[in-house]
Amino acid sequence: MTHDTDIVIVGGGLNGATLALALASVGFTITLVDAKPRDVRGAQGFDGRSYAMAHSSCAMMAALGLWAGLAETAQPILDIKVSDGRAGEGASPFVLEFDHAELEEGPMGHMVEDRHLRPHLLAQMDKTPAITQMSGRSVLAQSIEGQSAHVTLDDGTVIAAQLLIGCDGLGSGTAKRAGIRHTGWDYGQTGMVAAIAHEKPHNGIAHQLFMPEGPLAILPLVGNRCSIVWTERTGNAARINALSDAEYLDILRPRFGDFLGDIALAGARYSYPLSLSLANSMVAPRLALCGDAAHRLHPIAGQGLNAGLKDIATLAQVLAEARRRGEDIGRLDVLERYAQWRRFDVATLALATDTFNRLFSNDNPLLRLARDVGLGVVNAMPGLRRGFMREAAGLNGDRPELLQGRAL
Ligand SMILES: Cc1cc2nc3c(=O)[nH]c(=O)nc-3n(C[C@H](O)[C@H](O)[C@H](O)COP(=O)(O)OP(=O)(O)OC[C@H]3O[C@@H](n4cnc5c(N)ncnc54)[C@H](O)[C@@H]3O)c2cc1C
């Protein structure tokens, strides 16, 4: 049976692009299709997010030869401070602190800006002959015929591959067309994202302030800048989004506090609706799902992209080993190894982010007391605190080779 390509990937966001590079590094040929035109996908400012990339995610980027091009613009996260707060009142005295000095591996992670990461991945794909990119083309249909997965694009092109991987994000059409349903809910919250310039240095410290309406994350970027992820109930967010920049800052200031001196906007403002969505299965015959197509999480712990990179490291290793053994990479029992490896981690992460958000996004005085005491207790227990840090850095569990910084 001849195929046009070994693997067709639908969706060339951060996960699709990284997956294509990981699979090409072990000798697969890839065709990657994305609905957005190339100039839109590669534009700086296309997405305002910055990502807290865990230690293991950065190690994976290094193993794929991608870290050198990012390191200069990436800010190490040296310390994380978690506290409860109310606008205008400052943080509660119970501060939970994670200091990277307690980890022998180094910083817990790095902040990487989308405007650097996305163009870098696209440029690396351009330099990789095993990857064929088709931008500005949508996948409209897919079918499994014998030992092939076929996808049909909006211009009528049909691509035949051994395996189809859906990296097409929230509401994945690849999953829907395969009959894979998602379970989840809308949080009724919106994440407002912006880069903020400030007077005083942040010293690599990330802050997570739990406000009654939702968490406010203040994440250090290179220079005297930080990225905020400001979660508000969707109605409030709509009102805040309609304000001028000066009015927006007036509302932000009492929440942000004055510990970094005066603040100003250092770029455009962005807004993302927040939801939980979990695929009932990550695989089907000749099909696998990765990244947000498989699991969309609340950004409260900054773990969404990290979870997608874990999918990629796992799937790339399973497929590389299957090929070495002469197995058909599209067979369901091969793909089940990937799903089984990822199942527990995805479920616990979804449960943890959902629970944290419910516990912290409210002003119930009893819950407030309980969580403040809880933060204090975790802070007073070095073993427990270190366990949380290793989890956030992606250093726990049965990690595939790429996440340990080893090439496949
Ligand atoms: C406010 C916020 C802050 C966050 N912060 C962090 C953080 O600090 N750390 C972290 O690890 N994660 C974070 N995340 C999560 C992270 O941003 C996502 O998990 C990640 O960007 C998902 O990437 P993806 O490639 O899976 O999906 P997407 O970015 O959604 O990409 C999907 C791609 O598929 C394409 N596509 C869709 N349908 C078709 C079709 N039919 N044909 C062809 N192409 C198609 C689309 O054009 C798109 O390019 C955050 C999320 C939010 C909302």
Side-chain angles (χ1 to χ4, degrees):
M1 173 80 221
T2 54
H3 294 100
D4 302 312
T5 183
D6 292 331
I7 298 169
V8 61
I9 298 177
V10 182
L14 300 179
N15 282 313
T18 310
L19 178 65
L21 289 162
L23 292 172
S25 78
V26 287
F28 289 108
T29 56
I30 310 294
T31 298
L32 181 144
V33 185
D34 197 285
K36 296 192 187 81
R38 166 71 206 217
D39 52 345
V40 174
R41 290 171 63 213
Q44 291 205 334
F46 159 70
D47 193 310
R49 272 174 268 189
S50 296
Y51 307 96
M53 287 182 73
H55 179 93
S56 59
S57 297
C58 302
M60 168 171 166
M61 288 291 168
L64 291 173
L66 300 170
W67 187 247
L70 293 171
E72 211 172 296
T73 54
Q75 167 65 45
I77 303 169
L78 302 179
D79 203 339
I80 303 177
K81 290 187 176 175
V82 183
S83 52
D84 215 0
R86 271 207 196 101
E89 285 184 10
S92 77
F94 294 102
V95 174
L96 172 58
E97 187 167 358
F98 301 113
D99 182 348
H100 85 291
E102 291 184 54
L103 278 186
E104 52 275 19
E105 286 84 355
M108 282 166 272
H110 283 77
M111 286 303 300
V112 178
E113 294 175 63
D114 189 276
R115 67 191 176 116
H116 299 307
L117 180 56
R118 204 174 288 268
H120 181 56
L121 294 176
L122 289 183
Q124 294 306 307
M125 286 200 293
D126 291 344
K127 285 194 247 167
T128 308
I131 302 176
T132 304
Q133 295 181 67
M134 301 174 103
S135 296
R137 302 266 185 84
S138 281
V139 170
L140 295 185
Q142 68 200 41
S143 60
I144 307 298
E145 287 163 34
Q147 293 189 318
S148 304
H150 291 172
V151 298
T152 307
L153 310 189
D154 51 4
D155 64 354
T157 306
V158 177
I159 305 165
Q162 279 179 272
L163 175 64
L164 160 62
I165 306 180
C167 288
D168 43 352
L170 182 68
S172 165
T174 307
K176 279 192 193 118
R177 287 185 287 270
I180 299 177
R181 296 154 73 113
H182 285 73
T183 306
W185 41 82
D186 191 334
Y187 282 113
Q189 291 174 320
T190 295
M192 294 180 287
V193 171
I196 300 287
H198 40 81
E199 273 178 329
K200 299 183 191 166
H202 49 55
N203 299 320
I205 303 172
H207 295 262
Q208 179 73 277
L209 305 175
F210 290 111
M211 303 285 174
E213 301 75 23
L216 170 65
I218 302 173
L219 306 160
L221 300 178
V222 167
N224 275 7
R225 289 180 313 132
C226 63
S227 168
I228 57 160
V229 182
W230 175 8
T231 306
E232 285 280 343
R233 303 211 194 292
T234 295
N236 271 356
R239 278 189 288 279
I240 295 168
N241 280 333
L243 299 174
S244 68
D245 286 354
E247 291 165 326
Y248 175 93
L249 284 171
D250 284 344
I251 305 218
L252 175 63
R253 273 192 194 95
R255 290 164 169 75
F256 193 102
D258 57 4
F259 66 103
L260 291 174
D262 198 18
I263 57 171
L265 280 164
R269 291 151 42 184
Y270 300 82
S271 201
Y272 305 90
L274 305 182
S275 59
L276 174 76
S277 172
L278 288 181
N280 293 353
S281 172
M282 289 176 83
V283 296
R286 300 217 169 267
L287 181 143
L289 301 174
C290 278
D292 278 19
H295 40 74
R296 165 57 90 85
L297 307 171
H298 195 287
I300 191 163
Q303 289 296 333
L305 178 60
N306 292 308
L309 296 178
K310 284 186 191 173
D311 297 346
I312 291 165
T314 309
L315 184 57
Q317 185 166 327
V318 165
L319 297 180
E321 285 170 0
R323 172 167 275 192
R324 257 179 242 131
R325 291 195 202 113
E327 294 173 321
D328 174 356
I329 58 164
R331 247 178 36 204
L332 188 57
D333 61 329
V334 170
L335 300 173
E336 278 290 358
R337 290 174 208 153
Y338 158 63
Q340 217 169 336
W341 199 344
R342 290 296 297 129
R343 195 167 289 142
F344 181 72
D345 183 64
V346 171
T348 26
L349 198 54
L351 186 66
T353 49
D354 190 70
T355 308
F356 277 140
N357 185 51
R358 281 172 204 279
L359 187 62
F360 284 95
S361 298
N362 68 69
D363 211 12
N364 178 313
L366 274 179
L367 272 182
R368 212 177 145 86
L369 179 67
R371 70 199 182 210
D372 284 354
V373 171
L375 293 180
V377 168
V378 176
N379 203 43
M381 297 175 74
L384 191 56
R385 206 176 53 229
R386 209 163 164 277
F388 274 114
M389 281 167 70
R390 295 194 71 76
E391 188 61 40
L395 296 168
N396 285 343
D398 178 14
R399 284 180 294 154
E401 297 290 316
L402 282 173
L403 289 170
Q404 297 184 54
R406 292 198 285 266
L408 289 174

